[in-house]
């Protein structure tokens, strides 16, 4: 397997790993219910949700780190921006995990109006953290890495085009939710979120199954004999 193929495979697997958090809505359902902020309940399901979200956070960073050495050859500024925003997205996910586990602790307190208010505030904090981190930043990521893949033709251009459409629709539902046009968990929000999810899913599957297409920016790439890591490096030609 060539170093370039390994890079595509790693990026594809990491993109698919970002979908392991799909079950968290069910795992967090009880603890995020305003009617049961305080009361008995197992924290096991919530803890598993936190584990899955941590996997997603690390996979988010991984997708950018793996792709950066390659896509920076197309545009280094956009590639660096992609890494930065991907790290920011991961940071908001981790912040959400901290909030949700704090909420689990609050649930174990004795019923009290002050505790109820604290729980409600934590739920709101989690919802807004989730909306910002996983409900908006993926749109920014698509607008950063999409042009790199589109211009370089590393993947079929229909894939980044889907990313552009998904980014626009995700931004629309983000703004609509912020201004109260519809709830964060609603049919409208779910419908407008599907394209961005399809973009990342289809990109991950393509990279695993097909890898990168021939492109001018892949010319001269080879394994680094010093590191033995198989990470693509430039063979000596200029940018």
């Amino acid at each position: 397997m060539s170093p370039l193929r390994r890079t595509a495979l790693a990026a594809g697997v990491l993109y698919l790993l970002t979908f392991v958090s799909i079950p968290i809505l069910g795992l967090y359902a009880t603890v995020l219910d305003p009617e049961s902020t305080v009361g008995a309940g197992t924290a096991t399901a919530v803890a598993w949700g936190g584990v899955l979200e941590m996997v997603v956070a690390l996979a988010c960073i991984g997708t950018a780190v793996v792709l950066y050495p390659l896509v920076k050859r197309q545009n280094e500024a956009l590639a660096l921006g992609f890494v930065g925003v991907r790290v920011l997205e991961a940071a908001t996910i981790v912040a959400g995990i901290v909030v949700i586990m704090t909420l689990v602790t609050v649930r174990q307190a004795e019923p009290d109006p002050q505790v109820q208010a604290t729980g409600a505030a934590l739920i709101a904090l989690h919802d807004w953290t989730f909306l910002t981190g996983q409900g908006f930043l993926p749109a920014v990521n698509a607008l950063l890495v999409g042009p790199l893949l589109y211009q370089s033709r590393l993947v079929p251009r229909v894939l980044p085009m889907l990313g552009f459409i998904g980014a626009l629709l995700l931004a629309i539902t983000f703004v609509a939710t912020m201004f109260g046009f519809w709830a964060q968990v609603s049919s409208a929000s779910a419908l407008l979120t599907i394209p961005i999810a399809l973009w990342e899913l289809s990109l991950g599957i393509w990279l695993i199954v097909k890898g990168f297409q021939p492109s001018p920016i892949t010319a001269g790439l080879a394994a680094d004999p010093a590191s033995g890591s198989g990470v693509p490096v430039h063979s000596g030609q200029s940018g």
Side-chain angles (χ1 to χ4, degrees), residues 59-150:
C60 281
I61 298 174
T63 57
V65 171
V66 169
L67 288 177
Y68 176 76
L70 181 60
V71 296
K72 75 174 183 178
R73 295 164 60 87
Q74 181 65 43
N75 186 309
E76 188 168 3
L78 283 180
L80 188 59
F82 176 53
V83 174
V85 176
R86 208 63 163 157
V87 170
L88 179 59
E89 181 182 351
T92 62
I93 294 173
V94 173
I97 297 172
V98 173
V99 172
I100 204 75
M101 296 310 298
T102 303
L103 189 53
V104 170
T105 303
V106 170
R107 278 175 54 88
Q108 299 170 358
E110 292 295 326
D112 179 88
Q114 189 172 17
V115 173
Q116 291 278 7
T118 301
L122 288 171
I123 291 174
L125 180 59
H126 174 270
D127 289 346
W128 285 108
T129 301
F130 184 90
L131 179 67
T132 305
Q134 299 185 65
F136 175 67
L137 291 180
V140 180
N141 284 319
L143 294 177
L144 288 170
V145 74
L148 297 172
L149 297 177
Y150 184 89

